[in-house]
Amino acid sequence: MTKPLVQATGRRKTAVARVRLVDGTGQFTLNEKRLDDYFPEASHRLRIMEPLRITELEGRYDVSATLEGGGTTGQSDALRLGISRALIEIDPELRPILKKAGFLRRDDRK
């Protein structure tokens, strides 16, 4: 595996997503599965892609993540938060865009 460009963690309820971004072509590897295989429901995939879409960085980074705990909705929201945090580490100027969209807010309900 190539060295990660940046790493971040996202959480929601009991779900935890450890996210690594690498320069690439937009491939997702979640627990060693493709995005479509791990999240078969389109609504979850759309929520996960939102931070990349609004920052116009779709297809620029490969996303590799380890997901644990919770259900599919919790894991997809944790992954979205992790991706958002990783993007801010790469480019701090993206923070206002992601914050306005509400992608930096952690849902800590248990």
Side-chain angles (χ1 to χ4, degrees):
M1 180 178 219
T2 59
K3 185 177 177 191
L5 181 63
V6 67
Q7 298 184 104
T9 301
R11 293 183 182 88
R12 179 172 190 263
K13 292 188 175 184
T14 59
V16 179
R18 291 175 188 86
V19 180
R20 291 164 295 287
L21 293 184
V22 180
D23 282 325
T25 60
Q27 298 295 317
F28 277 75
T29 306
L30 311 173
N31 289 353
E32 299 182 16
K33 295 182 181 179
R34 291 185 26 219
L35 178 64
D36 296 343
D37 296 334
Y38 199 86
F39 290 107
E41 196 168 316
S43 63
H44 291 133
R45 292 192 305 267
L46 287 173
R47 289 181 64 78
I48 291 165
M49 296 298 291
E50 282 177 322
L52 296 166
R53 190 173 297 119
I54 67 164
T55 56
E56 298 175 357
L57 294 173
E58 238 177 330
R60 175 132 184 237
Y61 299 109
D62 288 345
V63 178
S64 174
T66 304
L67 301 161
E68 298 174 344
T72 55
T73 301
Q75 287 185 353
S76 65
D77 285 350
L79 182 56
R80 180 174 71 169
L81 177 60
I83 291 170
S84 298
R85 287 178 172 174
L87 289 173
I88 287 174
E89 284 189 41
I90 293 171
D91 185 3
E93 292 181 13
L94 296 175
R95 183 177 176 82
I97 297 167
L98 294 168
K99 187 169 182 163
K100 183 177 180 184
F103 297 156
L104 300 177
R105 195 171 295 136
R106 180 181 185 267
D107 186 355
D108 63 348
R109 293 178 291 171
K110 296 272 181 182

